[in-house]
């Protein structure tokens, strides 16, 4: 018999030699037709076979795109060299991938799968955009799972799923981020960007975050598990973004609402490619309930947007509010874990049932030392809610921080009694970035005044005073919009201060509407120290009127930083007298005009002499 060891060695060599090897095909785009099967388009005049074994590499070629004319199967697609490349078909076709897509360098390539390409995910696979963008305009289908990651060491990548029709139907689940590389951005124009399976999110400190950004009204039903020490950032450009599936916190998590997303700006009306757009604040709604695994977990809310917790939330580690957080009702408030509202934060409540908000304020899970703002809100698409409950911030043991204020993140009407803290000299408003209509009577209590202060000047609170106000203390605004909007709103005893500094002009706004019945000279006379007024003096219209007309404005004695403005609509006529005071870095004899909150200011006055105009 032959030597068995020699026979075994020969058999082993034979078996290894017959293992399948992934053939690689490099695009040149030199063919006269752009079909994938045209051999002239490929280096060596050899087209990739349609059997799932081919790796294709796409770099700069004569043409930046190819078509498939029937079902096709590849192993992997590689992109490099900063290309902008499109794979499409004349009619809907299925492209099956075995091992996904990868960008292999940091030249920020852009790969598009056109709307007629439906990607069949045959098994677990990875889309690695590295430092570029992968856009899928068709569907992702099949039984496979999908990992979306970018492996650049320093740069950010993006994935865009902008199919506005059927969306994705793959069932194997999705992994976002790996906790090792910088931010992964996923943008979507439908409610099924992640198919029907669960979603696992992994983040880490040092900017290794996951960003989710949406266009249109979307509701995602996937279950999410969040793990890692980084942030999950949410952005919805033009409509509410809702997560109706359960969220599980496997670590302490920070949610940023409406954070600007790298790579992805506002979509155009067709929802096809990103183009620049204005900042908006549609709410990010979590209606499926937030739980935890592996121990008590802390949820932190930050960002310039609005996060709404509308489900039954069972995490127990506590809630830290650095942005705007709104609870839908009493059952959405976690039963344990302190809720801490920091100075820049806002904590709101949607339930307008009489007694519900008062009970919410008295909930012992709210940390008494919180220094932020508390308030009431209106659900998206609903008429402005009216809250008749008394707001009593003098409750013994509940509200101990003298910075606490009243605000709203959306809009609301207050009609109940407001009682400031005993130790605080003012009725205090601020934070949330919405519009608050105060019909409550702000009466004289221990010489109290009124102050409006926002910690985030990018989302200022607007307060309309419509009650019968008799407080005698001063009225001051350091940021935000305060507008007197009834014949009794401007207390006869109060004085006005629109704060700021020589280097910070125009950051505060105090105005009055045409229903107050007062003249511009009377209103300007309420500013007792006009030389220290650095903000905007506003002339406004009541919401039931079209435009306010102001005849003549004399700014004599005011400093050189004061503005004339409106937050609604106003027409200025008659003589305009600028200030002659010179201080700070702002020239005297200058008229400064501005309009906020989409207001329109029309100046029909004649401006002459040496007067300058600034806008």
């Amino acid at each position: 018999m032959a030597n068995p060891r020699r026979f075994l060695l020969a058999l082993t060599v034979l078996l290894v030699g017959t293992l399948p090897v992934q053939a690689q095909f490099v695009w040149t785009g030199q063919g006269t037709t752009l079909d994938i099967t045209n051999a002239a388009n490929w280096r060596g005049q050899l087209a990739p076979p349609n059997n799932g074994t081919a790796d294709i590499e796409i770099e700069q070629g004569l043409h930046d795109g190819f078509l498939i004319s029937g079902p096709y199967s590849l192993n992997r697609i590689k992109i490099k060299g900063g290309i902008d490349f499109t794979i499409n078909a004349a009619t809907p076709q299925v492209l099956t991938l075995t091992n996904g897509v990868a960008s292999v360098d940091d030249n920020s390539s852009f790969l598009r799968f056109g709307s007629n390409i439906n990607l069949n995910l045959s098994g677990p696979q990875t889309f690695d955009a590295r430092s570029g963008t992968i856009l899928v305009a068709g569907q992702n289908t099949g039984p496979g799972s999908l990992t979306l990651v970018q492996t650049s060491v320093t740069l950010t990548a993006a994935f865009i799923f902008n199919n506005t029709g059927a969306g994705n139907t793959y069932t194997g689940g999705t992994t976002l981020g790996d906790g090792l590389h910088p931010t992964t951005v996923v943008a979507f124009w439908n409610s099924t960007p992640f198919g029907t399976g669960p979603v696992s999110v992994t983040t880490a400190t040092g900017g290794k975050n996951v960003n989710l950004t949406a266009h249109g009204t979307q509701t995602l039903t996937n279950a999410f598990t969040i793990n890692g020490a980084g942030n999950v950032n949410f952005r919805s450009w033009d409509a509410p973004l809702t997560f109706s599936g359960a969220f599980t916190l496997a670590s302490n998590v920070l949610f940023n609402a409406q954070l600007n997303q790298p790579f992805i700006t506002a979509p155009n009306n067709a929802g096809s490619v990103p183009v620049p757009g204005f900042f908006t604040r549609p709410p990010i709604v979590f209606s499926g309930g937030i739980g935890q695994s592996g121990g008590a977990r802390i949820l932190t809310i930050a960002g310039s947007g609005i996060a709404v917790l509308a489900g039954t939330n069972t995490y127990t580690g506590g809630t830290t509010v650095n942005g705007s957080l709104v609870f839908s009702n009493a059952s959405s408030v976690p039963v344990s874990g302190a809720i801490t509202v920091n100075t820049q934060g806002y904590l709101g409540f949607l339930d307008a049932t009489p007694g519900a908000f008062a009970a919410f304020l008295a909930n012992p899970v709210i940390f008494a030392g919180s220094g932020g703002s508390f308030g009431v809100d209106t659900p998206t698409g609903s008429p402005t809610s009216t809250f008749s409950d008394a707001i009593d911030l003098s409750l013994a043991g509940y509200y101990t921080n003298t910075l606490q204020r009243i605000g709203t993140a959306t809009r609301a009407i207050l009609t109940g009694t407001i009682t400031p803290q005993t130790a605080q000299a003012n009725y205090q408003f601020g934070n949330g970035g919405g519009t608050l209509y105060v019909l409550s009577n702000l009466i004289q209590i221990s010489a109290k005044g009124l102050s409006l202060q926002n910690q985030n000047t990018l989302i200022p609170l607007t307060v309309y005073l419509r009650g019968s106000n008799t407080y005698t203390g001063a009225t001051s605004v350091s940021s935000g919009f305060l507008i007197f909007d009834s014949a009794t709103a401007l207390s006869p005893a109060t004085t006005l201060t629109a704060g700021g500094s020589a280097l910070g002009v125009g950051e505060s706004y105090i105005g009055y509407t045409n229903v107050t019945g007062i003249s511009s000279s009377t209103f300007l006379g309420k500013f007792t120290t006009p030389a220290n007024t650095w903000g905007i003096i506003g002339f406004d219209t009541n919401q039931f009127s079209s435009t306010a007309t102001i005849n003549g404005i004399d700014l004599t004695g005011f400093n050189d930083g004061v503005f004339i403005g409106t937050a609604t609509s106003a027409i200025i006529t008659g003589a305009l007298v600028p200030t002659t005071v010179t201080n700070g870095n702002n020239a005297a004899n200058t008229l400064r005009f501005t309009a906020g909150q989409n207001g329109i200011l029309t100046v029909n006055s004649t401006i002459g002499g040496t007067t300058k105009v600034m806008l």
Side-chain angles (χ1 to χ4, degrees), residues 251-290:
S251 60
N252 297 334
V253 173
L254 188 151
F255 286 170
N256 271 314
Q258 298 296 7
L259 195 72
N260 280 326
Q261 307 279 338
F263 264 60
I264 304 297
T265 51
N268 63 14
N269 291 333
S272 57
V273 293
V275 296
F278 294 102
F279 177 74
T280 56
R281 299 181 75 212
I284 311 297
V285 181
F286 302 90
S287 62
I290 300 177

Short mmCIF file of all heavy atoms in Angstrom, two decimals, residues 251-290:
data_model
loop_
_atom_site.label_atom_id
_atom_site.label_comp_id
_atom_site.label_asym_id
_atom_site.label_seq_id
_atom_site.Cartn_x
_atom_site.Cartn_y
_atom_site.Cartn_z
N SER A 251 -27.15 50.91 28.47
CA SER A 251 -26.13 51.75 29.10
C SER A 251 -26.79 53.09 29.38
O SER A 251 -27.93 53.34 28.97
CB SER A 251 -24.91 51.92 28.20
OG SER A 251 -25.29 52.54 26.97
N ASN A 252 -26.09 53.97 30.08
CA ASN A 252 -26.57 55.35 30.20
C ASN A 252 -26.51 56.00 28.82
O ASN A 252 -25.51 55.86 28.11
CB ASN A 252 -25.73 56.13 31.20
CG ASN A 252 -25.82 55.56 32.60
OD1 ASN A 252 -26.81 54.92 32.96
ND2 ASN A 252 -24.79 55.78 33.40
N VAL A 253 -27.55 56.73 28.45
CA VAL A 253 -27.69 57.19 27.07
C VAL A 253 -28.01 58.68 27.05
O VAL A 253 -28.78 59.17 27.88
CB VAL A 253 -28.80 56.41 26.35
CG1 VAL A 253 -29.08 57.00 24.97
CG2 VAL A 253 -28.41 54.95 26.20
N LEU A 254 -27.42 59.39 26.08
CA LEU A 254 -27.77 60.79 25.82
C LEU A 254 -28.45 60.88 24.47
O LEU A 254 -27.88 60.47 23.45
CB LEU A 254 -26.55 61.69 25.87
CG LEU A 254 -26.82 63.21 25.79
CD1 LEU A 254 -25.74 63.99 26.53
CD2 LEU A 254 -26.89 63.71 24.34
N PHE A 255 -29.68 61.40 24.45
CA PHE A 255 -30.41 61.66 23.21
C PHE A 255 -30.34 63.16 22.91
O PHE A 255 -30.77 63.98 23.72
CB PHE A 255 -31.88 61.27 23.34
CG PHE A 255 -32.14 59.78 23.33
CD1 PHE A 255 -33.40 59.29 23.64
CD2 PHE A 255 -31.15 58.87 23.01
CE1 PHE A 255 -33.66 57.93 23.64
CE2 PHE A 255 -31.39 57.51 23.01
CZ PHE A 255 -32.66 57.04 23.33
N ASN A 256 -29.82 63.51 21.73
CA ASN A 256 -29.83 64.89 21.26
C ASN A 256 -30.98 65.06 20.28
O ASN A 256 -31.01 64.40 19.23
CB ASN A 256 -28.52 65.23 20.55
CG ASN A 256 -27.47 65.75 21.50
OD1 ASN A 256 -27.73 66.59 22.35
ND2 ASN A 256 -26.25 65.22 21.38
N ALA A 257 -31.93 65.93 20.60
CA ALA A 257 -33.06 66.17 19.71
C ALA A 257 -32.75 67.34 18.78
O ALA A 257 -32.35 68.41 19.23
CB ALA A 257 -34.32 66.47 20.52
N GLN A 258 -32.93 67.10 17.49
CA GLN A 258 -32.75 68.11 16.44
C GLN A 258 -31.34 68.67 16.38
O GLN A 258 -31.13 69.87 16.17
CB GLN A 258 -33.78 69.25 16.59
CG GLN A 258 -35.22 68.81 16.46
CD GLN A 258 -35.57 68.26 15.09
OE1 GLN A 258 -34.70 68.07 14.25
NE2 GLN A 258 -36.83 67.99 14.86
N LEU A 259 -30.38 67.80 16.56
CA LEU A 259 -28.99 68.23 16.41
C LEU A 259 -28.64 68.29 14.93
O LEU A 259 -29.05 67.43 14.15
CB LEU A 259 -28.04 67.25 17.12
CG LEU A 259 -26.62 67.75 17.34
CD1 LEU A 259 -26.60 68.81 18.43
CD2 LEU A 259 -25.70 66.60 17.73
N ASN A 260 -27.89 69.32 14.53
CA ASN A 260 -27.46 69.40 13.14
C ASN A 260 -26.66 68.16 12.79
O ASN A 260 -25.78 67.73 13.54
CB ASN A 260 -26.60 70.65 12.92
CG ASN A 260 -27.43 71.89 12.75
OD1 ASN A 260 -28.51 71.84 12.19
ND2 ASN A 260 -26.94 73.02 13.22
N GLN A 261 -26.92 67.58 11.61
CA GLN A 261 -26.29 66.34 11.20
C GLN A 261 -25.17 66.62 10.20
O GLN A 261 -25.39 67.28 9.19
CB GLN A 261 -27.32 65.42 10.55
CG GLN A 261 -28.57 65.19 11.38
CD GLN A 261 -28.37 64.15 12.45
OE1 GLN A 261 -27.48 63.32 12.34
NE2 GLN A 261 -29.17 64.17 13.48
N PRO A 262 -23.99 66.12 10.46
CA PRO A 262 -22.94 66.24 9.44
C PRO A 262 -23.34 65.46 8.20
O PRO A 262 -24.00 64.42 8.27
CB PRO A 262 -21.72 65.61 10.13
CG PRO A 262 -22.27 64.73 11.19
CD PRO A 262 -23.53 65.38 11.64
N PHE A 263 -22.99 65.96 7.04
CA PHE A 263 -23.24 65.34 5.74
C PHE A 263 -24.67 65.54 5.25
O PHE A 263 -24.90 65.63 4.07
CB PHE A 263 -22.99 63.81 5.79
CG PHE A 263 -21.63 63.41 5.32
CD1 PHE A 263 -20.51 63.88 5.96
CD2 PHE A 263 -21.48 62.55 4.24
CE1 PHE A 263 -19.26 63.50 5.55
CE2 PHE A 263 -20.22 62.16 3.83
CZ PHE A 263 -19.10 62.64 4.47
N ILE A 264 -25.67 65.56 6.14
CA ILE A 264 -27.05 65.57 5.70
C ILE A 264 -27.69 66.91 6.06
O ILE A 264 -27.81 67.26 7.22
CB ILE A 264 -27.86 64.45 6.38
CG1 ILE A 264 -27.20 63.09 6.10
CG2 ILE A 264 -29.30 64.45 5.88
CD1 ILE A 264 -27.17 62.71 4.65
N THR A 265 -28.09 67.67 5.05
CA THR A 265 -28.85 68.88 5.28
C THR A 265 -30.29 68.64 4.83
O THR A 265 -30.67 67.52 4.51
CB THR A 265 -28.23 70.06 4.53
OG1 THR A 265 -28.03 69.69 3.16
CG2 THR A 265 -26.88 70.43 5.12
N ALA A 266 -31.10 69.68 4.82
CA ALA A 266 -32.53 69.49 4.55
C ALA A 266 -32.75 68.94 3.16
O ALA A 266 -32.12 69.37 2.20
CB ALA A 266 -33.25 70.81 4.71
N PRO A 267 -33.68 67.99 3.00
CA PRO A 267 -34.00 67.48 1.67
C PRO A 267 -34.82 68.48 0.89
O PRO A 267 -35.51 69.32 1.45
CB PRO A 267 -34.81 66.22 1.97
CG PRO A 267 -35.44 66.50 3.29
CD PRO A 267 -34.45 67.34 4.06
N ASN A 268 -34.74 68.38 -0.43
CA ASN A 268 -35.61 69.23 -1.24
C ASN A 268 -37.02 68.65 -1.26
O ASN A 268 -37.29 67.60 -0.67
CB ASN A 268 -35.04 69.43 -2.65
CG ASN A 268 -34.96 68.10 -3.41
OD1 ASN A 268 -35.55 67.10 -3.02
ND2 ASN A 268 -34.22 68.11 -4.52
N ASN A 269 -37.93 69.31 -1.93
CA ASN A 269 -39.32 68.88 -1.89
C ASN A 269 -39.53 67.48 -2.46
O ASN A 269 -40.46 66.77 -2.08
CB ASN A 269 -40.20 69.89 -2.63
CG ASN A 269 -40.29 71.21 -1.90
OD1 ASN A 269 -40.16 71.24 -0.69
ND2 ASN A 269 -40.51 72.29 -2.63
N ALA A 270 -38.68 67.08 -3.39
CA ALA A 270 -38.81 65.75 -3.97
C ALA A 270 -38.23 64.67 -3.06
O ALA A 270 -38.47 63.49 -3.26
CB ALA A 270 -38.13 65.71 -5.33
N GLY A 271 -37.45 65.08 -2.07
CA GLY A 271 -36.86 64.11 -1.16
C GLY A 271 -35.82 63.24 -1.81
O GLY A 271 -35.63 62.09 -1.45
N SER A 272 -35.11 63.76 -2.80
CA SER A 272 -34.17 62.91 -3.53
C SER A 272 -32.73 63.12 -3.11
O SER A 272 -32.00 62.17 -2.88
CB SER A 272 -34.31 63.14 -5.03
OG SER A 272 -34.10 64.50 -5.35
N VAL A 273 -32.30 64.36 -3.01
CA VAL A 273 -30.92 64.62 -2.60
C VAL A 273 -30.92 65.74 -1.56
O VAL A 273 -31.82 66.58 -1.54
CB VAL A 273 -30.03 65.04 -3.79
CG1 VAL A 273 -29.86 63.90 -4.77
CG2 VAL A 273 -30.61 66.25 -4.51
N PRO A 274 -29.96 65.74 -0.66
CA PRO A 274 -29.93 66.80 0.37
C PRO A 274 -29.54 68.15 -0.22
O PRO A 274 -28.66 68.26 -1.04
CB PRO A 274 -28.85 66.30 1.33
CG PRO A 274 -28.65 64.86 1.01
CD PRO A 274 -28.94 64.73 -0.45
N VAL A 275 -30.24 69.18 0.24
CA VAL A 275 -29.89 70.56 -0.07
C VAL A 275 -30.05 71.37 1.21
O VAL A 275 -30.70 70.95 2.14
CB VAL A 275 -30.79 71.15 -1.18
CG1 VAL A 275 -30.59 70.42 -2.48
CG2 VAL A 275 -32.25 71.11 -0.78
N PRO A 276 -29.44 72.55 1.30
CA PRO A 276 -29.53 73.31 2.55
C PRO A 276 -30.96 73.69 2.89
O PRO A 276 -31.81 73.88 2.03
CB PRO A 276 -28.67 74.55 2.26
CG PRO A 276 -27.75 74.10 1.19
CD PRO A 276 -28.52 73.15 0.35
N GLY A 277 -31.22 73.83 4.19
CA GLY A 277 -32.55 74.23 4.64
C GLY A 277 -32.49 74.91 5.99
O GLY A 277 -31.44 74.95 6.63
N PHE A 278 -33.62 75.45 6.45
CA PHE A 278 -33.68 76.18 7.70
C PHE A 278 -33.92 75.22 8.87
O PHE A 278 -34.49 74.14 8.70
CB PHE A 278 -34.79 77.23 7.65
CG PHE A 278 -34.53 78.33 6.66
CD1 PHE A 278 -35.18 78.34 5.44
CD2 PHE A 278 -33.62 79.32 6.94
CE1 PHE A 278 -34.94 79.35 4.52
CE2 PHE A 278 -33.37 80.33 6.04
CZ PHE A 278 -34.03 80.35 4.82
N PHE A 279 -33.53 75.65 10.04
CA PHE A 279 -33.73 74.84 11.24
C PHE A 279 -35.19 74.83 11.65
O PHE A 279 -35.84 75.86 11.71
CB PHE A 279 -32.88 75.41 12.38
CG PHE A 279 -33.09 74.68 13.68
CD1 PHE A 279 -32.54 73.43 13.86
CD2 PHE A 279 -33.84 75.23 14.69
CE1 PHE A 279 -32.73 72.75 15.05
CE2 PHE A 279 -34.04 74.56 15.89
CZ PHE A 279 -33.47 73.31 16.06
N THR A 280 -35.72 73.65 11.90
CA THR A 280 -37.08 73.50 12.39
C THR A 280 -37.06 72.58 13.61
O THR A 280 -36.07 71.92 13.89
CB THR A 280 -38.00 72.91 11.31
OG1 THR A 280 -37.45 71.67 10.86
CG2 THR A 280 -38.14 73.84 10.12
N ARG A 281 -38.22 72.53 14.33
CA ARG A 281 -38.26 71.77 15.59
C ARG A 281 -39.42 70.79 15.66
O ARG A 281 -40.13 70.74 16.67
CB ARG A 281 -38.33 72.72 16.78
CG ARG A 281 -37.16 73.67 16.93
CD ARG A 281 -37.36 74.54 18.16
NE ARG A 281 -37.13 73.81 19.39
CZ ARG A 281 -37.77 74.05 20.53
NH1 ARG A 281 -38.74 74.94 20.58
NH2 ARG A 281 -37.47 73.37 21.61
N PRO A 282 -39.68 69.98 14.64
CA PRO A 282 -40.70 68.95 14.83
C PRO A 282 -40.28 68.03 15.98
O PRO A 282 -39.09 67.75 16.15
CB PRO A 282 -40.70 68.20 13.49
CG PRO A 282 -40.05 69.12 12.52
CD PRO A 282 -39.07 69.92 13.30
N PRO A 283 -41.23 67.55 16.76
CA PRO A 283 -40.86 66.74 17.92
C PRO A 283 -40.31 65.37 17.53
O PRO A 283 -40.69 64.79 16.51
CB PRO A 283 -42.17 66.62 18.69
CG PRO A 283 -43.23 66.77 17.66
CD PRO A 283 -42.69 67.76 16.67
N ILE A 284 -39.44 64.84 18.38
CA ILE A 284 -38.98 63.46 18.29
C ILE A 284 -39.76 62.70 19.37
O ILE A 284 -39.58 62.96 20.56
CB ILE A 284 -37.47 63.35 18.54
CG1 ILE A 284 -36.70 64.37 17.68
CG2 ILE A 284 -36.99 61.93 18.28
CD1 ILE A 284 -36.84 64.18 16.20
N VAL A 285 -40.64 61.80 18.94
CA VAL A 285 -41.60 61.17 19.85
C VAL A 285 -41.22 59.72 20.08
O VAL A 285 -41.01 58.96 19.12
CB VAL A 285 -43.03 61.26 19.28
CG1 VAL A 285 -44.03 60.63 20.25
CG2 VAL A 285 -43.41 62.70 18.98
N PHE A 286 -41.16 59.33 21.35
CA PHE A 286 -40.89 57.94 21.72
C PHE A 286 -42.17 57.40 22.37
O PHE A 286 -42.41 57.63 23.56
CB PHE A 286 -39.70 57.86 22.67
CG PHE A 286 -38.44 58.44 22.11
CD1 PHE A 286 -38.14 59.79 22.29
CD2 PHE A 286 -37.56 57.66 21.39
CE1 PHE A 286 -36.98 60.34 21.76
CE2 PHE A 286 -36.40 58.20 20.84
CZ PHE A 286 -36.11 59.54 21.04
N SER A 287 -42.98 56.69 21.59
CA SER A 287 -44.28 56.23 22.08
C SER A 287 -44.27 54.76 22.48
O SER A 287 -45.26 54.27 23.04
CB SER A 287 -45.36 56.48 21.03
OG SER A 287 -45.10 55.74 19.85
N GLY A 288 -43.18 54.05 22.19
CA GLY A 288 -43.16 52.62 22.47
C GLY A 288 -42.70 52.26 23.86
O GLY A 288 -42.70 51.09 24.24
N GLY A 289 -42.30 53.24 24.64
CA GLY A 289 -41.82 52.97 25.99
C GLY A 289 -40.32 52.73 26.01
O GLY A 289 -39.76 52.09 25.12
N ILE A 290 -39.66 53.26 27.02
CA ILE A 290 -38.21 53.12 27.17
C ILE A 290 -37.94 52.31 28.43
O ILE A 290 -38.34 52.70 29.53
CB ILE A 290 -37.52 54.49 27.24
CG1 ILE A 290 -37.81 55.29 25.97
CG2 ILE A 290 -36.02 54.33 27.45
CD1 ILE A 290 -37.23 56.68 25.96
#
